[in-house]
Amino acid sequence: MELPDGRFVMQLRPEFAKHVRKLSNRPLLTPGPLRTLSYIALKQPVAQSRVIAVRGKLAYQHVKQLKEMDLISYEKLGRSRTLRTTVTFADYFNLNHDSTIMKRELKNILDLTGDASAGQMSSSETSEQAEQS
């Protein structure tokens, strides 16, 4: 059934509703991989080594999981990888496919305009910005 705003609603038989309700309340990702994904989305394209340095050794598993879910992709550059989000990521989170616009949308959603957090920037973020300049 289509709603006036264009979204669709699925109707289920009552005997299936309780099972589907259990599934719909489960998050897509646990907090660790979700934080890794958000870091990749905000910093993309980003070297996997940088993600590991910021997120820790568990991020190797997070990257593997995110790749299997088709939320990120990577390019091999020598021995390193450059990570970025995929079209699947943009579609799932209803974001623009252009990475520059996507970053702006994410910063607005997360309220990371830079004004409030400018004085709280960590030394690693400062050095990262210097590297990108």
Side-chain angles (χ1 to χ4, degrees), residues 42 103-104 106-117:
L42 287 168
K103 287 183 202 180
R104 203 173 315 131
L106 286 169
K107 287 178 182 178
N108 287 336
I109 291 167
L110 300 172
D111 196 27
L112 298 175
T113 56
D115 298 334
S117 61

Side-chain angles (χ1 to χ4, degrees), residues 40-41 44-46 71-75 82-86 99:
I40 293 168
Q44 69 178 307
V46 61
L71 294 174
I72 64 167
S73 65
Y74 60 80
E75 288 177 28
T82 301
L83 306 175
R84 63 186 69 227
T85 58
T86 62
S99 64

Side-chain angles (χ1 to χ4, degrees), residues 8-80:
F8 288 90
V9 176
M10 184 170 63
Q11 294 182 339
L12 299 169
R13 290 182 175 176
E15 62 266 22
F16 297 127
K18 67 179 180 179
H19 300 293
V20 172
R21 205 170 288 120
K22 287 180 190 176
L23 294 173
S24 68
N25 290 333
R26 298 172 73 194
L28 174 68
L29 294 166
T30 57
L34 188 58
R35 287 184 182 122
T36 301
L37 178 60
S38 63
Y39 183 81
I40 293 168
L42 287 168
K43 302 295 183 180
Q44 69 178 307
V46 61
Q48 180 172 316
S49 59
R50 182 69 188 146
V51 174
I52 303 305
V54 171
R55 294 287 304 135
K57 299 244 183 242
L58 287 176
Y60 283 113
Q61 186 60 35
H62 300 166
V63 167
K64 182 180 176 185
Q65 179 184 357
L66 296 169
K67 173 76 172 133
E68 288 171 357
M69 296 175 75
D70 194 34
L71 294 174
I72 64 167
S73 65
Y74 60 80
E75 288 177 28
K76 282 194 167 194
L77 296 173
R79 292 179 58 186
S80 66

